[in-house]
Amino acid sequence: MWKRMGPNMPRNPLTAATSALLWALHLGMVFISSPATACPKNCNCAEKNGLAVVQCVSRNLDEIPSDLPRDTAVLLLASNHITKIPNQAFKDLHGLQEVDLSNNAIESVDAGAFQGVADSLRVLDLANNRIRSVPKEAFARLRAKINLSNNPWHCECSLQEVLRELRLDPDTVNEVSCHTAVQDEHAGKPVIQVLDSGINFCNFHHKTTDVAMFVTMFGWFAMVIAYVIYYVRHNQEDARRHLEYLKSLPSSSQISKDLDTISTGL
């Protein structure tokens, strides 16, 4: 019969080494996987339908967390105080499919804000923020359905070029309105309605540029004409004074008469 090994009996060296190796591998896997599974402070992380969901709604955040799990697929950041979407805000989240940033205070979106997630992102909600304009590059290559409603948009050429490339949420498209516009009569109207009416903000932009160039050229031309007139008048005045001076000089015939008179007197 095999004897039970007592607590003080030495283990098989091979078994001990194997156990140590397995333990080290376990710790290594925990260490490696922890950055992908750690949940940001003040957020809740869960799995829904096989997708990693990070829920940070109404947590008084003033910026997008930088320590988001790398396997994040759904990111809920609504109803916070976020003011900006910086460059590469989601650069390590290559499986990101949905982002909800509605009801924040976002005013600016950097050109490279969605760099790295353009191919994976499917839903982007930016409703109820303070966005007036965005660089065309910010949404380049995005295939996501985007909600841009209830922002104070300034309707001009760059916004028209941005919207041309986007897939707007059809349920909210009429809520994307011109808060201000290059032509005041379009303020308060849905952007799509204005564009569908045949208005081209880019043509207006070019016309405005042409008018500005014409005004500038006319201003320079007027300055040149004014200088020429001043120069001619100034020279005319000098010429008149010089002529009067010459007239005031005694003529040669008068000088000859005066000399004859003096000679006769002598």
Side-chain angles (χ1 to χ4, degrees):
M1 293 181 63
W2 293 96
K3 293 183 179 181
R4 185 181 298 275
M5 294 180 64
N8 296 326
M9 293 184 67
R11 291 184 177 182
N12 186 321
L14 181 60
T15 303
T18 302
S19 299
L21 179 60
L22 291 174
W23 180 248
L25 289 174
H26 174 71
L27 289 177
M29 291 301 294
V30 171
F31 177 77
I32 292 173
S33 61
S34 59
T37 57
C39 195
K41 184 180 179 181
N42 298 327
C43 296
N44 293 326
C45 298
E47 185 175 321
K48 184 177 181 181
N49 299 326
L51 299 176
V53 179
V54 179
Q55 200 272 91
C56 309
V57 176
S58 301
R59 300 303 170 90
N60 292 317
L61 300 177
D62 56 11
E63 62 182 11
I64 297 172
S66 59
D67 54 347
L68 293 166
R70 294 186 179 181
D71 61 347
T72 300
V74 178
L75 179 58
L76 307 176
L77 292 165
S79 302
N80 283 289
H81 308 294
I82 298 170
T83 60
K84 179 180 181 179
I85 307 179
N87 286 319
Q88 299 184 338
F90 315 101
K91 63 177 180 178
D92 295 324
L93 311 181
H94 302 297
L96 189 63
Q97 297 183 23
E98 180 178 344
V99 176
D100 185 355
L101 280 161
S102 62
N103 296 290
N104 274 277
I106 298 171
E107 295 181 350
S108 64
V109 180
D110 285 350
F114 300 99
Q115 185 174 347
V117 297
D119 294 329
S120 64
L121 199 61
R122 294 293 175 265
V123 178
L124 175 61
D125 194 342
L126 294 172
N128 297 295
N129 280 283
R130 302 175 184 173
I131 308 172
R132 286 178 50 81
S133 63
V134 291
K136 184 179 180 180
E137 298 78 11
F139 296 141
R141 296 178 53 213
L142 273 183
R143 304 173 183 176
K145 181 172 66 174
I146 302 177
N147 183 353
L148 298 175
S149 63
N150 299 315
N151 281 279
W153 294 107
H154 177 62
C155 290
E156 37 81 37
C157 183
S158 63
L159 179 62
Q160 177 178 318
E161 292 179 342
V162 167
L163 295 179
R164 185 183 301 159
E165 306 295 329
L166 295 186
R167 179 190 166 204
L168 292 177
D169 181 355
D171 295 332
T172 63
V173 67
N174 288 324
E175 297 172 13
V176 182
S177 300
C178 300
H179 182 71
T180 56
V182 290
Q183 294 172 298
D184 292 338
E185 61 266 28
H186 303 312
K189 297 180 180 179
V191 180
I192 298 302
Q193 177 183 327
V194 174
L195 296 178
D196 286 347
S197 69
I199 298 299
N200 188 327
F201 291 119
C202 293
N203 282 347
F204 182 79
H205 172 74
H206 295 322
K207 289 178 181 178
T208 303
T209 303
D210 293 342
V211 170
M213 290 181 62
F214 175 78
V215 171
T216 302
M217 293 177 64
F218 180 80
W220 280 105
F221 182 74
M223 289 177 62
V224 171
I225 295 299
Y227 176 78
V228 170
I229 293 174
Y230 168 79
Y231 180 80
V232 170
R233 288 183 176 179
H234 182 74
N235 285 349
Q236 285 179 340
E237 183 67 19
D238 287 346
R240 185 184 63 78
R241 291 176 181 176
H242 185 66
L243 182 61
E244 290 179 353
Y245 171 75
L246 291 177
K247 288 181 178 180
S248 66
L249 294 176
S251 62
S252 57
S253 58
Q254 182 65 36
I255 294 174
S256 298
K257 291 180 180 179
D258 290 342
L259 289 176
D260 290 342
T261 303
I262 294 172
S263 297
T264 304
L266 292 174

